[in-house]
Amino acid sequence: MTGRARARSRGRARGQETGPPGVVGLVFIPTTSAAPPPSEGELVGRGRQRAAPGPVASEDVLQISAGFHQVKLGERGGRRRDFHDVGINTRQAMEHVKASKTGTSGSTIQLRANFFRIVSRPQWVLYQYHVDFQPPMESRRLRSALLFQHDETLGSARSFDGAILFLPHRLHSKETMLYSETRHGEKVQIKITLTNELPPTSPVCLQFYNIIFRRILRILNMQQIGRNYYSPNDPLSIPQHRLTIWPGFTTTILQYETSIMLSTDVSHKVLRSETVLDFMGNLRHQCGNQRFPEACAKELIGLIVLTKYNNKTYRIDDIAWDHTPNNTFKRGADDVSFTNYYKTQYGLEITDVKQVLLVSHVKRLGPSGAAPPGPAMLIPEFCYLTGLTDKMRSDFNIMKDLAIHTRLSPEQREARLSRFVNNIQKNTEAQAELGTWGLNFDKQLLNLTGRVLPVERIVQGSRSYDYKPWAADWSKEMRGVPLISSPQLESWLIFYTRRNANEAQNLLQTLHRVSSPLGFRMQRPVMVEYEDYQESLLRALQQNVGQQTQMVVVVLPSNRKDKYDSIKKYLCVDCPTPSQCVLSRTLSKPQALMTVATKIALQMACKMGGELWSVEIPLKQLMIVGIDCYHDTVAGKRSIGALVASLNQGMTRWFSKCVLQDRGQEIMDGLKMALIGALKDYHKFNNSLPSRIIIYRDGVGDGMLQSVVNYEVPQIMESIKSIGHDYMPKLTVVVVKKRVSTRFFAHIDGKLSNPPPGTVIDTEVTRPEWYDFYIVSQAVRMGSVSPTHYNVVYDTSGLKPDHMQRLTYKLCHMYYNWQGIIRVPAPCQYAHKLAFLVGQSIHREPNVRLDDYLFYL
């Protein structure tokens, strides 16, 4: 699976909680009459079959009649999730960084960042109101239109996001009742209730600035999809692949180190030019009526679709085979069919009234104290497929054509951002709106100073060497240099099919040639031929792999997932043995065989406990821990937490543990025992416990920081305490975030380029309430480099910020699956690889005999 697919798969296992009906554009499963059933075996509509698997569960249907009229608008969408973790002040508890959190090492570099300062803002009190509609209106556009019929009451300066209204003046009474009428003559009562008075310094004002800026984006004819805004009027078409790209922007206004700034970055939404109904029709044509329901569920469930009538995205969680647009649901006191609902609400005609409906479990909470009202129903005809399938991702031509539009160089990205801000400056309506509220933005990207950390020296055995700083890669430099330590490989097996016998022999010969200079001694393996089907391969493994086997190498004729999964399941759980799979296609190019064999030899060595290279780590008695998680959509939607901890001074040996948990359980519940196991293993290696523990926590989503600070840190401390009451090591917990929209550009040789690897930024664009910094650790050949954000949320170590930054950067050199610098500290990437292997292939906890090996690389 590609890295991009891997990243996407992390977010696949969304919860099954059902959502309230007030989410714009959703229709929920009706409890009332369904259309009369067709006769036995009759095919109805392009996406429908009578004898289809399981209708939507009856308990789902029964809990739905909370209905449109029962939920208050302010309660729709449940609690508002703060994606920017505002108000979590962790820095104030750390004395050593209260005065300054900036480092000193390295040479300075002048940078630009994708931020624009707010140069003026309102200096008056804002009044915040809650707005309630009876009967409830689903469309936010309709809610705004109904409210803004009352200009004489509200005035021209107002801001409304669908539930909250901001005004610069106070209405006459605390509760104001207004009455409006829809185009179809429906009477609507609007209740406006004063909830807050906000001085200019209030943090809620930041929320208000973001609402105002979203209105500016709508003035520019941009439309919201998810959290970002896109330009459907300016699409980039790739007709040969039936793809369309909507260009857009991510925007956030927040308080940064010294000023409030707008952070904005280029974003792209990839749409396919076919609806779900088209897709279902083609699928039926390909696989026939009998296999259609099963194939349809397999292909569609889990995909994200866009509904263009409200520009929202939904995940398909199920297919309601027994529902059509003729079904009805309760709206107020009336029964309304889906056909009539879409016609009156959006002016849309459903052409195929026999199509089945799609089910989406919206991740929103119901009104306080009430059960969630039920899953949302979507019409396939109005749903457009988004994103790319794994088949598309593996198509070189599609990805190459996409990259032309989406992978922007620093110069292209800066030009796009500057043009965006210029468009706002030139648009008279946008300027009038900003002027009404006294808001004004800088026209230039933010200039700031960063530092480039010194280049690390790589230590390998008795030798040490430098690498080219801009390449951030030492694959050439390490050739012919013996490894720090490597085991003797005496008992091992190579499995191959008859068709791939030549490739297996070539691999064996080349492995012998490349392993000697590395100091990795190999005896001749036992060669085992197997038939090219899964049962034969599994039987061959069971008959040949024994207690003495040190390594299993399998040459696979294709990248079929089921074969790979069965190998890993057997060799990681039932018969714990390090294993290496390699595709025959990878071995078929003679000119690349030396390079491929070198990488395979290195992987084999470190999977058996070998130590490849190191960098100088001055801190003694230090244990580094990496934590990451993965959501397994196959094994009952469980979460997999992985913990990887260093066992020696050189950070070359690692303890790895994985735990599987039910959805909704906190990840640290299971990892507490893993951390205790790591400390015991460290003691076994060193005859002492670490005096300093630094934990890098990856996989923390937007809005989850509070949970890490309030729940995970105390759990970690509890685990440490359980080792012994007198054991009190210095502890640091760092939240690692790769998915950030921040970008940095450097002026080098007269043009805008990516900053060099090792660039640290700890001023201007960091947050004043956090002890945080950015590091650009990797080099990229195409596009703009993404920095990694580090947020130290707990620290009793007293390490200087400079030492914390340098240690973090050193650890980015220690990932043994890549002879270069990676985006995150090595233990985070190890933890990700372990969680991914278990979540994708094994679905069970690996055997404890593999705990001290990097068997998952």
Side-chain angles (χ1 to χ4, degrees):
M1 190 179 272
T2 63
R4 199 176 288 210
R6 192 172 299 141
R8 195 184 71 243
S9 63
R10 283 178 157 192
R12 271 276 171 98
R14 297 197 179 178
Q16 292 281 9
E17 299 94 334
T18 50
V23 183
V24 181
L26 297 194
V27 179
F28 290 78
I29 303 173
T31 56
T32 52
S33 60
S39 57
E40 185 73 281
E42 181 192 346
L43 297 177
V44 278
R46 280 181 279 171
R48 183 166 169 75
Q49 181 174 5
R50 175 72 183 131
V56 176
S58 58
E59 58 268 27
D60 273 348
V61 176
L62 287 173
Q63 67 169 219
I64 289 151
S65 59
F68 287 95
H69 62 287
Q70 293 181 10
V71 187
K72 284 187 180 177
L73 233 174
E75 290 165 335
R76 294 180 185 189
R79 298 166 206 147
R80 284 168 174 267
R81 184 162 160 206
D82 176 15
F83 293 107
H84 306 295
D85 300 299
V86 174
I88 303 167
N89 194 331
T90 47
R91 184 178 172 186
Q92 63 185 7
M94 297 179 251
E95 286 295 330
H96 62 297
V97 289
K98 264 188 183 175
S100 170
K101 62 176 184 183
T102 56
T104 53
S105 289
S107 54
T108 59
I109 183 170
Q110 293 308 307
L111 302 169
R112 278 192 197 170
N114 57 335
F115 290 78
F116 296 89
R117 276 199 176 92
I118 290 187
V119 290
S120 71
R121 58 197 181 101
Q123 295 304 314
W124 58 75
V125 171
L126 269 179
Y127 296 92
Q128 182 180 334
Y129 293 88
H130 173 74
V131 185
D132 188 30
F133 292 78
Q134 285 298 338
M137 296 289 116
E138 288 75 49
S139 164
R140 187 167 72 180
R141 189 178 293 172
L142 180 57
R143 296 197 295 264
S144 299
L146 293 168
L147 180 65
F148 294 164
Q149 285 176 15
H150 302 278
D151 276 356
E152 71 289 347
T153 306
L154 304 176
S156 58
R158 71 257 168 134
S159 174
F160 180 58
D161 72 346
I164 294 171
L165 172 70
F166 289 104
L167 295 174
H169 59 272
R170 185 175 179 148
L171 297 177
H172 293 304
S173 53
K174 192 172 178 186
E175 205 170 86
T176 305
M177 302 299 284
L178 301 172
Y179 298 90
S180 294
E181 195 173 298
T182 68
R183 277 184 312 187
H184 306 288
E186 187 178 9
K187 299 274 193 292
V188 181
Q189 175 190 291
I190 305 170
K191 184 165 81 173
I192 303 172
T193 311
L194 179 66
T195 54
N196 218 341
E197 293 185 17
L198 307 166
T201 53
S202 165
V204 182
C205 286
L206 290 173
Q207 182 191 345
F208 161 70
Y209 301 153
N210 280 289
I211 292 168
I212 293 294
F213 199 78
R214 285 201 290 273
R215 190 187 296 176
I216 300 298
L217 296 173
R218 288 196 291 275
I219 288 170
L220 296 178
N221 294 320
M222 298 183 79
Q223 294 184 0
Q224 186 174 8
I225 302 176
R227 288 189 238 161
N228 304 330
Y229 276 77
Y230 297 90
S231 299
N233 303 329
D234 190 20
L236 305 163
S237 187
I238 309 177
Q240 66 271 35
H241 306 303
R242 297 187 70 190
L243 294 174
T244 304
I245 302 168
W246 284 7
F249 296 93
T250 67
T251 63
T252 309
I253 297 172
L254 281 177
Q255 172 70 57
Y256 293 95
E257 211 65 54
T258 55
S259 58
I260 295 174
M261 291 191 282
L262 163 70
S263 166
T264 179
D265 192 30
V266 176
S267 176
H268 297 94
K269 179 61 70 178
V270 178
L271 304 175
R272 290 189 247 165
S273 308
E274 59 181 341
T275 64
V276 174
L277 191 60
D278 296 334
F279 181 83
M280 291 167 97
N282 292 334
L283 193 63
R284 183 191 288 284
H285 183 70
Q286 285 169 22
C287 64
N289 293 329
Q290 201 171 348
R291 285 185 49 234
F292 171 69
E294 185 191 343
C296 196
K298 188 178 176 185
E299 289 288 336
L300 287 179
I301 290 174
L303 293 186
I304 305 296
V305 294
L306 171 78
T307 49
K308 288 189 180 177
Y309 53 80
N310 62 352
N311 282 314
K312 290 198 176 294
T313 52
Y314 306 103
R315 181 185 190 272
I316 301 174
D317 291 305
D318 205 347
I319 300 167
W321 296 99
D322 55 348
H323 283 69
T324 72
N326 289 332
N327 280 67
T328 61
F329 61 91
K330 280 281 185 200
R331 188 170 186 222
D334 304 323
D335 286 345
V336 182
S337 73
F338 290 93
T339 309
N340 289 337
Y341 170 78
Y342 279 96
K343 190 172 183 178
T344 55
Q345 192 77 20
Y346 296 105
L348 294 171
E349 291 276 358
I350 294 176
T351 55
D352 184 349
V353 292
K354 293 180 178 179
Q355 62 190 295
V356 296
L357 303 188
L358 308 173
V359 182
S360 179
H361 295 293
V362 184
K363 264 182 112 178
R364 303 278 178 108
L365 302 173
S368 50
M377 304 302 287
L378 303 168
I379 309 290
E381 189 179 333
F382 300 146
C383 295
Y384 286 82
L385 295 162
T386 70
L388 303 172
T389 62
D390 288 339
K391 188 179 175 186
M392 286 173 161
R393 289 176 195 285
S394 59
D395 186 317
F396 174 78
N397 291 321
I398 290 179
M399 298 312 289
K400 183 177 148 205
D401 293 341
L402 263 180
I404 293 167
H405 298 290
T406 58
R407 287 204 176 174
L408 304 179
S409 69
E411 285 185 325
Q412 290 170 319
R413 194 174 287 264
E414 192 210 28
R416 189 85 67 87
L417 294 172
S418 297
R419 193 162 70 241
F420 171 55
V421 170
N422 284 338
N423 287 344
I424 295 172
Q425 302 283 350
K426 286 177 190 168
N427 189 300
T428 49
E429 193 183 343
Q431 284 305 300
E433 182 65 33
L434 289 170
T436 302
W437 296 99
L439 275 173
N440 197 6
F441 293 90
D442 204 337
K443 297 176 182 64
Q444 301 297 321
L445 284 174
L446 178 74
N447 290 304
L448 73 163
T449 304
R451 290 175 293 111
V452 183
L453 296 176
V455 177
E456 294 295 331
R457 199 163 173 76
I458 306 296
V459 179
Q460 195 173 316
S462 57
R463 305 254 305 267
S464 65
Y465 50 82
D466 293 319
Y467 58 89
K468 288 175 185 165
W470 274 97
D473 177 292
W474 49 88
S475 50
K476 284 183 183 155
E477 285 80 357
M478 76 176 293
R479 277 184 198 159
V481 180
L483 306 175
I484 294 173
S485 79
S486 54
Q488 299 280 333
L489 184 52
E490 290 166 353
S491 174
W492 62 299
L493 307 163
I494 293 184
F495 291 81
Y496 63 95
T497 60
R498 180 170 299 172
R499 203 169 42 151
N500 302 134
N502 284 341
E503 283 92 341
Q505 282 299 333
N506 291 341
L507 173 64
L508 177 59
Q509 288 167 14
T510 318
L511 277 175
H512 278 297
R513 203 180 316 159
V514 299
S515 59
S516 290
L518 295 169
F520 182 22
R521 308 247 172 266
M522 289 183 186
Q523 298 299 323
R524 189 161 181 80
V526 175
M527 305 291 284
V528 182
E529 188 180 308
Y530 68 94
E531 295 296 321
D532 188 10
Y533 59 92
Q534 195 174 320
E535 292 76 16
S536 168
L537 174 54
L538 194 56
R539 206 178 313 116
L541 288 169
Q542 289 164 344
Q543 289 169 356
N544 292 281
V545 181
Q547 294 280 331
Q548 306 304 313
T549 308
Q550 294 171 280
M551 172 62 64
V552 172
V553 176
V554 183
V555 179
L556 291 167
S558 69
N559 60 352
R560 272 186 52 185
K561 187 175 181 298
D562 54 352
K563 267 192 197 166
Y564 179 82
D565 291 355
S566 66
I567 295 166
K568 290 298 178 181
K569 210 171 280 183
Y570 181 70
L571 296 176
C572 292
V573 180
D574 304 324
C575 181
T577 312
S579 59
Q580 178 69 43
C581 295
V582 55
L583 282 173
S584 59
R585 190 179 66 224
T586 312
L587 304 173
S588 61
K589 297 170 188 163
Q591 67 275 22
L593 196 54
M594 283 289 279
T595 306
V596 168
T598 303
K599 290 191 173 177
I600 291 172
L602 291 173
Q603 270 188 296
M604 288 166 64
C606 61
K607 282 180 180 183
M608 293 166 59
E611 301 165 48
L612 308 191
W613 66 77
S614 185
V615 293
E616 190 197 347
I617 311 251
L619 293 171
K620 302 288 183 273
Q621 287 187 297
L622 166 69
M623 183 163 97
I624 300 286
V625 179
I627 294 174
D628 201 356
C629 56
Y630 174 89
H631 301 296
D632 185 356
T633 53
V634 177
K637 301 211 167 181
R638 289 185 294 183
S639 290
I640 291 130
L643 178 145
V644 175
S646 64
L647 295 172
N648 63 349
Q649 168 67 25
M651 308 290 157
T652 56
R653 294 298 306 271
W654 301 89
F655 168 89
S656 309
K657 198 76 179 167
C658 212
V659 291
L660 279 75
Q661 301 186 158
D662 293 327
R663 186 177 53 78
Q665 230 186 317
E666 291 286 353
I667 208 76
M668 271 316 294
D669 290 352
L671 290 179
K672 276 202 300 187
M673 292 311 296
L675 182 56
I676 292 166
L679 287 165
K680 287 178 178 172
D681 217 25
Y682 185 98
H683 189 273
K684 195 170 75 181
F685 258 72
N686 302 281
N687 291 321
S688 65
L689 287 164
S691 61
R692 195 188 294 270
I693 300 170
I694 298 177
I695 296 175
Y696 288 94
R697 169 69 160 98
D698 203 347
V700 177
D702 296 336
M704 284 173 56
L705 191 62
Q706 191 83 57
S707 161
V708 174
V709 174
N710 291 353
Y711 185 81
E712 292 190 12
V713 172
Q715 294 282 80
I716 290 164
M717 292 162 77
E718 206 177 289
S719 302
I720 292 166
K721 205 177 283 181
S722 68
I723 296 289
H725 286 297
D726 54 343
Y727 178 53
M728 292 177 69
K730 292 171 179 174
L731 175 66
T732 306
V733 179
V734 187
V735 170
V736 180
K737 207 164 184 186
K738 300 185 292 292
R739 285 188 175 183
V740 292
S741 57
T742 305
R743 295 288 181 273
F744 298 105
F745 316 117
H747 264 293
I748 296 165
D749 297 333
K751 67 170 189 172
L752 217 56
S753 311
N754 284 313
T759 300
V760 174
I761 300 94
D762 54 11
T763 59
E764 297 279 2
V765 295
T766 50
R767 302 268 284 270
E769 71 272 26
W770 295 346
Y771 169 17
D772 62 331
F773 54 91
Y774 290 91
I775 298 182
V776 175
S777 50
Q778 79 282 26
V780 295
R781 292 192 183 94
M782 269 183 81
S784 306
V785 72
S786 295
T788 303
H789 183 248
Y790 298 92
N791 184 2
V792 184
V793 296
Y794 183 85
D795 188 17
T796 58
S797 73
L799 269 185
K800 291 177 182 173
D802 196 63
H803 294 167
M804 191 72 231
Q805 293 167 6
R806 292 210 51 189
L807 174 66
T808 301
Y809 183 52
K810 282 173 184 284
L811 291 167
C812 296
H813 294 67
M814 292 301 299
Y815 180 59
Y816 284 164
N817 218 3
W818 179 255
Q819 296 112 294
I821 316 175
I822 61 167
R823 272 192 76 179
V824 291
C828 290
Q829 189 63 15
Y830 287 140
H832 168 62
K833 286 285 280 189
L834 173 57
F836 185 75
L837 175 70
V838 172
Q840 276 282 303
S841 302
I842 303 174
H843 310 295
R844 287 159 67 190
E845 290 184 22
N847 195 297
V848 291
R849 280 165 51 192
L850 294 173
D851 283 357
D852 289 345
Y853 300 102
L854 298 172
F855 64 92
Y856 42 83
L857 284 189

